[in-house]
Amino acid sequence: MDKPKVVLGVSGGIAAYKACELLRRLTESGHDVRVVPTGSALHFVGAATWSALSGNPVSTEVWDDVHEVPHVRIGQHADLVVVAPATADTLARAAHGLADDLLTNTLLTARCPVVFAPAMHTEMWEHPATQENVATLRRRGAIVIEPAVGRLTGVDTGKGRLPDPAEIFEVCRRVLARGVTEPDLTGRHVVVSAGGTREPLDPVRFLGNRSSGKQGYALARTAAARGARVTLIAANTGMPDPAGVDVVQVGTAVQLREAVLKAAPDADAVVMAAAVADFRPATYAAGKIKKQDGREPEPITLVRNPDILAEISTDRARPGQVVVGFAAETDDVLANGRKKLERKGCDLLVVNEVGERKTFGSEENEAVVLGADGSETPVPHGPKEALAETVWDLVARRLGSNV
Ligand SMILES: Cc1cc2nc3c(=O)[nH]c(=O)nc-3n(C[C@H](O)[C@H](O)[C@H](O)COP(=O)(O)O)c2cc1C
């Protein structure tokens, strides 16, 4: 089988060096990568590096190897074009359909999915010109990954940083796996919760659960690769931020509720994949609880935590909003799931069987998605991202009928 053909466009930003790692990940995972840098990009990383790492020729202009008509062939044959970093200038040229170098010619001739990973100073990113160019590119079907917040060139920090190359690679992998399908969540804002809450007993101890957050992260990554603006509310996951995703870190169920209620009014869909503790200790000891000689420990009294899924399902923050819950059941899985769906009032409930060695922390999952309309969508044993794709298919269908 031919290797999937990826064009890696690199434009002239300081983050160009990070595209070397993206290139490595793409080639090592079996992709045939043609790097097309801009002239400015070569001020940061030279053609020799791109050529040696990709094993392919490298040019910036349309005038090299003219007999092969590279200005059309490279784009025509690509399965994916990813531009990382994408400068303000390259975004502007792409949005306006300019064709003044090999990369912009390639962008005009490509009919495959196109991913831009912008990186620039916050002022350049926030400028209305850049924002309008990004909106134009998204409207035409490109995936434009939101930049990360962090250290920028020089002493500045803020929004505009290139996301981690490993996370840009994840977006590329997912977009390639889905093929030329339109990014059906473009223009949508989705909120995903992930991980497991920790309810503190004292400064060193907590009541927690085994949720790793992997399913929630898979949901966030797949939604971003389908064009959505994603807010990920992460409880104790310790995983790197997915590319293009706004991550809000929380610890307890009460904090998670606050973060969800803050993000929900602006969301088209809320997917509650986090394992939220039903109970928390009634009291918090300000100092570490000590062993007392000859005395049994005090029993721990628990109080109920707020039921966030029921709350956001009952009081929809926005008409037409789709709310999805997760139910981890250990027995009588489907019957309990159906009861929970009715009790909570959400639109979809992903029901999976959990146990010590099942689901928690694993890369795979198996579930049935129950719909309030009586539907049942079984998702066979497979990667958590396959379940995530099914959830977004069902959400997108419901959102489609809400417009
Ligand atoms: C040191 C340095 C760092 C730069 N970093 C960025 C950047 O991160 N993002 C950006 O949009 N422009 C950046 N620029 C400006 C671009 O290089 C400039 O706009 C150039 O015309 C972009 O050309 P290109 O889009 O064809 O690659 C930087 C310039 C310099 C000198």
Side-chain angles (χ1 to χ4, degrees):
M1 239 174 68
D2 278 351
K3 291 178 172 180
K5 289 189 167 46
V6 176
V7 174
L8 172 58
V10 183
S11 51
I14 193 78
Y17 74 95
K18 294 188 187 169
C20 299
E21 192 194 327
L22 176 59
L23 171 56
R24 261 234 125 87
R25 284 181 185 265
L26 287 164
T27 53
E28 282 173 6
S29 54
H31 301 89
D32 178 13
V33 188
R34 177 84 195 234
V35 182
V36 183
T38 62
S40 302
L42 296 187
H43 287 289
F44 295 93
V45 179
T49 302
W50 301 123
S51 192
L53 287 178
S54 67
N56 276 318
V58 168
S59 18
T60 59
E61 303 303 329
V62 294
W63 309 113
D64 299 327
D65 304 314
V66 174
H67 62 289
E68 289 177 1
V69 236
H71 75 288
V72 288
R73 290 285 176 271
I74 295 175
Q76 281 174 339
H77 291 160
D79 297 302
L80 173 77
V81 179
V82 49
V83 185
T87 56
D89 175 65
T90 290
L91 291 171
R93 290 185 298 131
H96 288 82
L98 298 193
D100 53 356
D101 62 6
L102 188 57
L103 178 56
T104 43
N105 277 270
T106 300
L107 287 166
L108 285 181
T109 50
R111 293 295 175 270
C112 58
V114 177
V115 175
F116 291 93
M120 63 200 70
H121 262 72
T122 312
E123 293 84 345
M124 291 175 93
W125 172 250
E126 287 177 348
H127 194 283
T130 304
Q131 287 301 308
E132 279 169 31
N133 291 330
V134 167
T136 301
L137 293 167
R138 283 183 175 148
R139 204 173 53 247
R140 292 189 194 135
I143 307 264
V144 184
I145 302 172
E146 287 287 308
V149 175
R151 180 82 193 269
L152 306 169
T153 317
V155 293
D156 297 337
T157 54
K159 186 159 183 171
R161 193 176 154 82
L162 190 75
D164 188 341
E167 293 297 330
I168 301 174
F169 170 72
E170 284 301 316
V171 174
C172 295
R173 208 169 57 73
R174 283 171 168 80
V175 172
L176 268 168
R178 274 178 61 78
V180 194
T181 336
E182 285 281 300
D184 54 357
L185 295 175
T186 296
R188 301 294 190 180
H189 176 212
V190 302
V191 174
V192 177
S193 71
T197 60
R198 290 181 180 175
E199 308 301 323
L201 278 159
D202 68 17
V204 293
R205 303 184 183 93
F206 57 82
L207 297 180
N209 62 64
R210 293 176 190 275
S211 177
S212 65
K214 287 180 181 169
Q215 184 61 63
Y217 274 59
L219 281 155
R221 290 194 180 102
T222 45
R226 290 168 76 148
R229 178 159 73 82
V230 185
T231 303
L232 174 65
I233 299 168
N236 311 298
T237 56
M239 280 188 274
D241 292 354
V245 169
D246 274 336
V247 182
V248 182
Q249 302 284 352
V250 295
T252 64
V254 168
Q255 289 166 356
L256 193 136
R257 174 179 176 271
E258 270 168 31
V260 169
L261 294 187
K262 188 165 170 218
D266 182 40
D268 296 290
V270 183
V271 180
M272 293 288 294
V276 182
D278 289 329
F279 313 104
R280 66 176 182 277
T283 52
Y284 172 76
K288 188 181 167 195
I289 301 166
K290 299 258 189 250
K291 270 187 289 195
Q292 306 278 353
D293 281 346
R295 280 176 54 189
E296 288 304 309
E298 291 292 319
I300 297 169
T301 308
L302 299 176
V303 292
R304 285 178 92 103
N305 267 329
D307 186 336
I308 310 169
L309 181 58
E311 184 175 351
I312 61 167
S313 299
T314 316
D315 301 324
R316 300 286 164 127
R318 187 174 159 159
Q321 184 177 72
V322 179
V323 177
V324 185
F326 271 67
E329 300 287 348
T330 49
D331 40 33
D332 227 351
V333 177
L334 278 189
N336 282 335
R338 192 47 80 189
K339 276 186 224 151
K340 182 167 176 180
L341 174 72
E342 275 153 31
R343 215 170 46 243
K344 304 279 182 179
C346 51
D347 301 289
L348 295 164
L349 189 76
V350 183
V351 186
N352 52 22
E353 195 176 345
V354 294
E356 280 210 20
R357 274 182 296 281
K358 267 189 180 161
T359 302
F360 285 135
S362 128
E363 300 300 332
E364 311 216 307
N365 210 344
E366 181 181 344
V368 178
V369 188
L370 302 177
D373 54 3
S375 61
E376 270 184 26
T377 311
V379 185
H381 190 79
K384 288 186 169 173
E385 73 186 58
L387 172 57
E389 295 286 10
T390 303
V391 170
W392 293 125
D393 288 344
L394 295 166
V395 168
R397 212 172 296 155
R398 279 157 178 77
L399 286 174
S401 58
N402 286 339
V403 282

mmCIF file of all heavy atoms in Angstrom, residues 10-16 37-44 85-93 100-101 103-104 118-121 124-125 130 152-153 160-162, ligand 1:
data_model
loop_
_atom_site.group_PDB
_atom_site.id
_atom_site.type_symbol
_atom_site.label_atom_id
_atom_site.label_comp_id
_atom_site.label_asym_id
_atom_site.label_seq_id
_atom_site.Cartn_x
_atom_site.Cartn_y
_atom_site.Cartn_z
ATOM 1 N N VAL A 10 5.842 24.884 6.169
ATOM 2 C CA VAL A 10 6.473 25.536 7.327
ATOM 3 C C VAL A 10 6.645 27.006 6.972
ATOM 4 O O VAL A 10 7.253 27.322 5.942
ATOM 5 C CB VAL A 10 7.854 24.912 7.642
ATOM 6 C CG1 VAL A 10 8.454 25.561 8.894
ATOM 7 C CG2 VAL A 10 7.743 23.411 7.821
ATOM 8 N N SER A 11 6.085 27.909 7.787
ATOM 9 C CA SER A 11 6.292 29.321 7.486
ATOM 10 C C SER A 11 7.215 29.955 8.526
ATOM 11 O O SER A 11 7.625 29.302 9.488
ATOM 12 C CB SER A 11 4.970 30.055 7.290
ATOM 13 O OG SER A 11 4.093 29.830 8.346
ATOM 14 N N GLY A 12 7.546 31.233 8.287
ATOM 15 C CA GLY A 12 8.678 31.860 8.964
ATOM 16 C C GLY A 12 8.407 32.358 10.358
ATOM 17 O O GLY A 12 8.462 33.568 10.621
ATOM 18 N N GLY A 13 8.161 31.458 11.272
ATOM 19 C CA GLY A 13 7.999 31.811 12.683
ATOM 20 C C GLY A 13 9.096 31.142 13.485
ATOM 21 O O GLY A 13 9.687 30.138 13.057
ATOM 22 N N ILE A 14 9.299 31.671 14.679
ATOM 23 C CA ILE A 14 10.359 31.155 15.537
ATOM 24 C C ILE A 14 10.133 29.672 15.874
ATOM 25 O O ILE A 14 11.071 28.924 16.130
ATOM 26 C CB ILE A 14 10.459 32.021 16.816
ATOM 27 C CG1 ILE A 14 11.742 31.743 17.587
ATOM 28 C CG2 ILE A 14 9.248 31.866 17.710
ATOM 29 C CD1 ILE A 14 12.930 32.400 16.989
ATOM 30 N N ALA A 15 8.847 29.240 15.820
ATOM 31 C CA ALA A 15 8.525 27.848 16.187
ATOM 32 C C ALA A 15 8.837 26.864 15.056
ATOM 33 O O ALA A 15 8.540 25.667 15.192
ATOM 34 C CB ALA A 15 7.049 27.750 16.578
ATOM 35 N N ALA A 16 9.468 27.345 13.967
ATOM 36 C CA ALA A 16 9.742 26.440 12.829
ATOM 37 C C ALA A 16 10.550 25.220 13.286
ATOM 38 O O ALA A 16 10.366 24.112 12.756
ATOM 39 C CB ALA A 16 10.479 27.199 11.731
ATOM 40 N N PRO A 37 8.707 24.655 2.734
ATOM 41 C CA PRO A 37 8.882 25.827 3.602
ATOM 42 C C PRO A 37 8.667 27.110 2.797
ATOM 43 O O PRO A 37 8.772 27.101 1.578
ATOM 44 C CB PRO A 37 10.355 25.730 4.040
ATOM 45 C CG PRO A 37 10.995 24.741 3.115
ATOM 46 C CD PRO A 37 9.968 24.133 2.219
ATOM 47 N N THR A 38 8.378 28.197 3.502
ATOM 48 C CA THR A 38 8.397 29.498 2.826
ATOM 49 C C THR A 38 9.848 29.987 2.823
ATOM 50 O O THR A 38 10.695 29.446 3.569
ATOM 51 C CB THR A 38 7.526 30.525 3.578
ATOM 52 O OG1 THR A 38 8.097 30.701 4.885
ATOM 53 C CG2 THR A 38 6.089 30.060 3.690
ATOM 54 N N GLY A 39 10.115 31.019 2.045
ATOM 55 C CA GLY A 39 11.468 31.590 2.037
ATOM 56 C C GLY A 39 11.864 32.031 3.442
ATOM 57 O O GLY A 39 12.995 31.800 3.891
ATOM 58 N N SER A 40 10.925 32.654 4.159
ATOM 59 C CA SER A 40 11.241 33.133 5.523
ATOM 60 C C SER A 40 11.541 31.966 6.455
ATOM 61 O O SER A 40 12.372 32.088 7.360
ATOM 62 C CB SER A 40 10.067 33.916 6.111
ATOM 63 O OG SER A 40 9.744 34.993 5.293
ATOM 64 N N ALA A 41 10.854 30.840 6.280
ATOM 65 C CA ALA A 41 11.066 29.688 7.175
ATOM 66 C C ALA A 41 12.524 29.237 7.120
ATOM 67 O O ALA A 41 13.077 28.768 8.127
ATOM 68 C CB ALA A 41 10.139 28.544 6.790
ATOM 69 N N LEU A 42 13.155 29.405 5.935
ATOM 70 C CA LEU A 42 14.547 28.944 5.808
ATOM 71 C C LEU A 42 15.524 29.824 6.591
ATOM 72 O O LEU A 42 16.672 29.444 6.798
ATOM 73 C CB LEU A 42 14.952 28.866 4.335
ATOM 74 C CG LEU A 42 14.171 27.848 3.485
ATOM 75 C CD1 LEU A 42 14.777 27.729 2.087
ATOM 76 C CD2 LEU A 42 14.130 26.473 4.142
ATOM 77 N N HIS A 43 15.069 31.005 7.038
ATOM 78 C CA HIS A 43 15.919 31.795 7.948
ATOM 79 C C HIS A 43 16.010 31.103 9.306
ATOM 80 O O HIS A 43 16.931 31.352 10.082
ATOM 81 C CB HIS A 43 15.337 33.197 8.175
ATOM 82 C CG HIS A 43 15.493 34.104 6.990
ATOM 83 N ND1 HIS A 43 16.700 34.616 6.597
ATOM 84 C CD2 HIS A 43 14.580 34.580 6.111
ATOM 85 C CE1 HIS A 43 16.535 35.385 5.538
ATOM 86 N NE2 HIS A 43 15.257 35.366 5.212
ATOM 87 N N PHE A 44 15.019 30.291 9.628
ATOM 88 C CA PHE A 44 14.972 29.652 10.953
ATOM 89 C C PHE A 44 15.550 28.236 10.922
ATOM 90 O O PHE A 44 16.317 27.861 11.787
ATOM 91 C CB PHE A 44 13.525 29.627 11.473
ATOM 92 C CG PHE A 44 12.973 31.008 11.725
ATOM 93 C CD1 PHE A 44 12.263 31.673 10.746
ATOM 94 C CD2 PHE A 44 13.181 31.642 12.944
ATOM 95 C CE1 PHE A 44 11.768 32.953 10.977
ATOM 96 C CE2 PHE A 44 12.691 32.914 13.181
ATOM 97 C CZ PHE A 44 11.979 33.579 12.191
ATOM 98 N N PRO A 85 4.760 25.941 11.797
ATOM 99 C CA PRO A 85 3.832 26.966 12.243
ATOM 100 C C PRO A 85 3.254 27.725 11.051
ATOM 101 O O PRO A 85 3.899 27.817 10.007
ATOM 102 C CB PRO A 85 4.725 27.896 13.080
ATOM 103 C CG PRO A 85 6.089 27.763 12.494
ATOM 104 C CD PRO A 85 6.179 26.341 12.024
ATOM 105 N N ALA A 86 2.039 28.250 11.234
ATOM 106 C CA ALA A 86 1.442 29.127 10.228
ATOM 107 C C ALA A 86 1.580 30.558 10.739
ATOM 108 O O ALA A 86 1.052 30.888 11.799
ATOM 109 C CB ALA A 86 -0.019 28.772 10.026
ATOM 110 N N THR A 87 2.331 31.378 10.001
ATOM 111 C CA THR A 87 2.503 32.780 10.421
ATOM 112 C C THR A 87 1.249 33.585 10.075
ATOM 113 O O THR A 87 0.425 33.157 9.254
ATOM 114 C CB THR A 87 3.679 33.426 9.675
ATOM 115 O OG1 THR A 87 3.433 33.294 8.276
ATOM 116 C CG2 THR A 87 5.010 32.817 10.045
ATOM 117 N N ALA A 88 1.175 34.797 10.655
ATOM 118 C CA ALA A 88 0.076 35.711 10.318
ATOM 119 C C ALA A 88 0.097 35.965 8.817
ATOM 120 O O ALA A 88 -0.952 35.998 8.155
ATOM 121 C CB ALA A 88 0.252 37.013 11.090
ATOM 122 N N ASP A 89 1.305 36.109 8.275
ATOM 123 C CA ASP A 89 1.451 36.404 6.843
ATOM 124 C C ASP A 89 0.947 35.246 5.983
ATOM 125 O O ASP A 89 0.189 35.442 5.032
ATOM 126 C CB ASP A 89 2.933 36.679 6.565
ATOM 127 C CG ASP A 89 3.204 36.880 5.089
ATOM 128 O OD1 ASP A 89 2.688 37.871 4.543
ATOM 129 O OD2 ASP A 89 3.903 36.043 4.494
ATOM 130 N N THR A 90 1.313 34.020 6.330
ATOM 131 C CA THR A 90 0.883 32.868 5.523
ATOM 132 C C THR A 90 -0.619 32.655 5.644
ATOM 133 O O THR A 90 -1.290 32.332 4.660
ATOM 134 C CB THR A 90 1.699 31.617 5.918
ATOM 135 O OG1 THR A 90 3.036 31.829 5.449
ATOM 136 C CG2 THR A 90 1.150 30.349 5.297
ATOM 137 N N LEU A 91 -1.177 32.878 6.835
ATOM 138 C CA LEU A 91 -2.637 32.771 6.982
ATOM 139 C C LEU A 91 -3.327 33.796 6.080
ATOM 140 O O LEU A 91 -4.325 33.484 5.413
ATOM 141 C CB LEU A 91 -3.057 33.027 8.439
ATOM 142 C CG LEU A 91 -2.657 31.969 9.474
ATOM 143 C CD1 LEU A 91 -2.952 32.478 10.891
ATOM 144 C CD2 LEU A 91 -3.402 30.651 9.232
ATOM 145 N N ALA A 92 -2.769 35.019 6.029
ATOM 146 C CA ALA A 92 -3.371 36.081 5.210
ATOM 147 C C ALA A 92 -3.285 35.707 3.727
ATOM 148 O O ALA A 92 -4.264 35.844 2.981
ATOM 149 C CB ALA A 92 -2.658 37.406 5.471
ATOM 150 N N ARG A 93 -2.118 35.199 3.329
ATOM 151 C CA ARG A 93 -1.965 34.848 1.905
ATOM 152 C C ARG A 93 -2.900 33.697 1.544
ATOM 153 O O ARG A 93 -3.522 33.695 0.477
ATOM 154 C CB ARG A 93 -0.501 34.512 1.605
ATOM 155 C CG ARG A 93 0.389 35.767 1.669
ATOM 156 C CD ARG A 93 1.816 35.516 1.279
ATOM 157 N NE ARG A 93 2.498 34.580 2.155
ATOM 158 C CZ ARG A 93 3.201 33.537 1.748
ATOM 159 N NH1 ARG A 93 3.324 33.286 0.454
ATOM 160 N NH2 ARG A 93 3.786 32.738 2.614
ATOM 161 N N ASP A 100 1.987 33.124 -4.410
ATOM 162 C CA ASP A 100 3.278 33.742 -4.721
ATOM 163 C C ASP A 100 4.472 32.905 -4.275
ATOM 164 O O ASP A 100 5.599 33.364 -4.324
ATOM 165 C CB ASP A 100 3.340 35.156 -4.103
ATOM 166 C CG ASP A 100 3.012 35.165 -2.608
ATOM 167 O OD1 ASP A 100 2.668 34.088 -2.067
ATOM 168 O OD2 ASP A 100 3.098 36.237 -1.995
ATOM 169 N N ASP A 101 4.240 31.701 -3.792
ATOM 170 C CA ASP A 101 5.345 30.768 -3.528
ATOM 171 C C ASP A 101 4.804 29.341 -3.639
ATOM 172 O O ASP A 101 3.602 29.145 -3.917
ATOM 173 C CB ASP A 101 6.017 31.045 -2.164
ATOM 174 C CG ASP A 101 5.064 30.863 -0.981
ATOM 175 O OD1 ASP A 101 3.925 30.412 -1.195
ATOM 176 O OD2 ASP A 101 5.469 31.159 0.163
ATOM 177 N N LEU A 103 4.278 27.055 -1.370
ATOM 178 C CA LEU A 103 3.303 26.652 -0.350
ATOM 179 C C LEU A 103 1.902 27.171 -0.686
ATOM 180 O O LEU A 103 0.913 26.425 -0.621
ATOM 181 C CB LEU A 103 3.751 27.143 1.043
ATOM 182 C CG LEU A 103 2.786 26.831 2.189
ATOM 183 C CD1 LEU A 103 2.485 25.335 2.287
ATOM 184 C CD2 LEU A 103 3.340 27.335 3.524
ATOM 185 N N THR A 104 1.801 28.436 -1.062
ATOM 186 C CA THR A 104 0.455 28.977 -1.346
ATOM 187 C C THR A 104 -0.119 28.357 -2.630
ATOM 188 O O THR A 104 -1.332 28.130 -2.721
ATOM 189 C CB THR A 104 0.469 30.522 -1.423
ATOM 190 O OG1 THR A 104 1.610 30.932 -2.169
ATOM 191 C CG2 THR A 104 0.496 31.136 -0.042
ATOM 192 N N PRO A 118 -1.424 27.905 13.738
ATOM 193 C CA PRO A 118 -0.834 29.243 13.813
ATOM 194 C C PRO A 118 0.059 29.412 15.047
ATOM 195 O O PRO A 118 -0.185 28.787 16.076
ATOM 196 C CB PRO A 118 -2.048 30.175 13.922
ATOM 197 C CG PRO A 118 -3.229 29.355 13.529
ATOM 198 C CD PRO A 118 -2.885 27.937 13.899
ATOM 199 N N ALA A 119 1.063 30.249 14.901
ATOM 200 C CA ALA A 119 1.915 30.626 16.042
ATOM 201 C C ALA A 119 2.426 32.032 15.785
ATOM 202 O O ALA A 119 2.952 32.295 14.697
ATOM 203 C CB ALA A 119 3.082 29.656 16.193
ATOM 204 N N MET A 120 2.233 32.891 16.744
ATOM 205 C CA MET A 120 2.658 34.292 16.597
ATOM 206 C C MET A 120 2.467 35.001 17.925
ATOM 207 O O MET A 120 1.894 34.421 18.860
ATOM 208 C CB MET A 120 1.833 34.988 15.501
ATOM 209 C CG MET A 120 0.351 35.088 15.802
ATOM 210 S SD MET A 120 -0.653 35.374 14.336
ATOM 211 C CE MET A 120 -0.540 33.815 13.461
ATOM 212 N N HIS A 121 2.900 36.265 17.989
ATOM 213 C CA HIS A 121 2.663 37.040 19.208
ATOM 214 C C HIS A 121 1.159 37.282 19.384
ATOM 215 O O HIS A 121 0.410 37.332 18.403
ATOM 216 C CB HIS A 121 3.418 38.369 19.143
ATOM 217 C CG HIS A 121 4.708 38.294 19.892
ATOM 218 N ND1 HIS A 121 5.780 37.577 19.433
ATOM 219 C CD2 HIS A 121 5.065 38.823 21.090
ATOM 220 C CE1 HIS A 121 6.759 37.668 20.319
ATOM 221 N NE2 HIS A 121 6.360 38.409 21.336
ATOM 222 N N MET A 124 -0.516 39.915 17.267
ATOM 223 C CA MET A 124 -0.728 39.528 15.857
ATOM 224 C C MET A 124 -1.917 38.578 15.752
ATOM 225 O O MET A 124 -2.727 38.666 14.835
ATOM 226 C CB MET A 124 0.518 38.836 15.291
ATOM 227 C CG MET A 124 1.709 39.748 15.120
ATOM 228 S SD MET A 124 3.171 38.816 14.584
ATOM 229 C CE MET A 124 3.072 38.965 12.809
ATOM 230 N N TRP A 125 -2.019 37.642 16.698
ATOM 231 C CA TRP A 125 -3.117 36.661 16.675
ATOM 232 C C TRP A 125 -4.469 37.351 16.880
ATOM 233 O O TRP A 125 -5.450 37.051 16.218
ATOM 234 C CB TRP A 125 -2.889 35.594 17.753
ATOM 235 C CG TRP A 125 -4.056 34.669 17.918
ATOM 236 C CD1 TRP A 125 -4.903 34.605 18.985
ATOM 237 C CD2 TRP A 125 -4.529 33.697 16.979
ATOM 238 N NE1 TRP A 125 -5.867 33.647 18.771
ATOM 239 C CE2 TRP A 125 -5.662 33.076 17.547
ATOM 240 C CE3 TRP A 125 -4.109 33.286 15.706
ATOM 241 C CZ2 TRP A 125 -6.383 32.070 16.895
ATOM 242 C CZ3 TRP A 125 -4.832 32.286 15.056
ATOM 243 C CH2 TRP A 125 -5.945 31.695 15.653
ATOM 244 N N THR A 130 -6.059 39.157 11.307
ATOM 245 C CA THR A 130 -5.729 37.728 11.463
ATOM 246 C C THR A 130 -6.991 36.942 11.809
ATOM 247 O O THR A 130 -7.244 35.871 11.245
ATOM 248 C CB THR A 130 -4.674 37.544 12.574
ATOM 249 O OG1 THR A 130 -3.548 38.353 12.246
ATOM 250 C CG2 THR A 130 -4.237 36.095 12.708
ATOM 251 N N LEU A 152 6.340 33.050 24.601
ATOM 252 C CA LEU A 152 6.482 33.392 23.186
ATOM 253 C C LEU A 152 7.925 33.825 22.953
ATOM 254 O O LEU A 152 8.753 33.762 23.864
ATOM 255 C CB LEU A 152 5.489 34.509 22.828
ATOM 256 C CG LEU A 152 4.013 34.213 23.172
ATOM 257 C CD1 LEU A 152 3.161 35.459 23.028
ATOM 258 C CD2 LEU A 152 3.479 33.099 22.272
ATOM 259 N N THR A 153 8.215 34.291 21.744
ATOM 260 C CA THR A 153 9.585 34.744 21.473
ATOM 261 C C THR A 153 9.973 35.863 22.434
ATOM 262 O O THR A 153 9.131 36.692 22.777
ATOM 263 C CB THR A 153 9.680 35.324 20.042
ATOM 264 O OG1 THR A 153 8.963 34.481 19.181
ATOM 265 C CG2 THR A 153 11.108 35.467 19.599
ATOM 266 N N GLY A 160 -0.650 32.340 21.586
ATOM 267 C CA GLY A 160 0.053 32.475 20.319
ATOM 268 C C GLY A 160 1.128 31.429 20.137
ATOM 269 O O GLY A 160 1.788 31.342 19.101
ATOM 270 N N ARG A 161 1.305 30.610 21.158
ATOM 271 C CA ARG A 161 2.359 29.605 21.124
ATOM 272 C C ARG A 161 1.935 28.402 20.278
ATOM 273 O O ARG A 161 0.758 28.022 20.285
ATOM 274 C CB ARG A 161 2.570 29.155 22.577
ATOM 275 C CG ARG A 161 3.767 28.367 22.855
ATOM 276 C CD ARG A 161 3.818 28.132 24.364
ATOM 277 N NE ARG A 161 4.558 26.941 24.663
ATOM 278 C CZ ARG A 161 5.881 26.889 24.727
ATOM 279 N NH1 ARG A 161 6.575 27.984 24.553
ATOM 280 N NH2 ARG A 161 6.492 25.755 24.970
ATOM 281 N N LEU A 162 2.889 27.825 19.559
ATOM 282 C CA LEU A 162 2.580 26.613 18.786
ATOM 283 C C LEU A 162 2.297 25.479 19.763
ATOM 284 O O LEU A 162 3.093 25.232 20.671
ATOM 285 C CB LEU A 162 3.763 26.243 17.883
ATOM 286 C CG LEU A 162 3.460 25.134 16.867
ATOM 287 C CD1 LEU A 162 2.600 25.668 15.720
ATOM 288 C CD2 LEU A 162 4.740 24.515 16.301
HETATM 289 C C1 LIG B 1 12.869 36.349 14.995
HETATM 290 C C2 LIG B 1 11.550 36.412 14.287
HETATM 291 C C3 LIG B 1 10.506 35.660 14.742
HETATM 292 C C4 LIG B 1 9.267 35.700 14.098
HETATM 293 N N1 LIG B 1 8.270 34.916 14.581
HETATM 294 C C5 LIG B 1 7.052 34.984 13.970
HETATM 295 C C6 LIG B 1 6.000 34.179 14.459
HETATM 296 O O1 LIG B 1 6.143 33.386 15.396
HETATM 297 N N2 LIG B 1 4.784 34.279 13.849
HETATM 298 C C7 LIG B 1 4.577 35.128 12.799
HETATM 299 O O2 LIG B 1 3.441 35.199 12.306
HETATM 300 N N3 LIG B 1 5.566 35.883 12.312
HETATM 301 C C8 LIG B 1 6.812 35.825 12.862
HETATM 302 N N4 LIG B 1 7.832 36.591 12.375
HETATM 303 C C9 LIG B 1 7.576 37.470 11.211
HETATM 304 C C10 LIG B 1 7.585 36.655 9.920
HETATM 305 O O3 LIG B 1 8.838 36.012 9.751
HETATM 306 C C11 LIG B 1 7.290 37.580 8.717
HETATM 307 O O4 LIG B 1 5.955 38.050 8.819
HETATM 308 C C12 LIG B 1 7.474 36.881 7.403
HETATM 309 O O5 LIG B 1 7.133 37.780 6.355
HETATM 310 C C13 LIG B 1 6.620 35.636 7.293
HETATM 311 O O6 LIG B 1 6.775 35.068 6.025
HETATM 312 P P1 LIG B 1 6.063 33.694 5.608
HETATM 313 O O7 LIG B 1 4.662 33.772 6.071
HETATM 314 O O8 LIG B 1 6.168 33.673 4.116
HETATM 315 O O9 LIG B 1 6.827 32.600 6.209
HETATM 316 C C14 LIG B 1 9.088 36.538 12.962
HETATM 317 C C15 LIG B 1 10.154 37.292 12.501
HETATM 318 C C16 LIG B 1 11.377 37.227 13.147
HETATM 319 C C17 LIG B 1 12.508 38.059 12.603
#
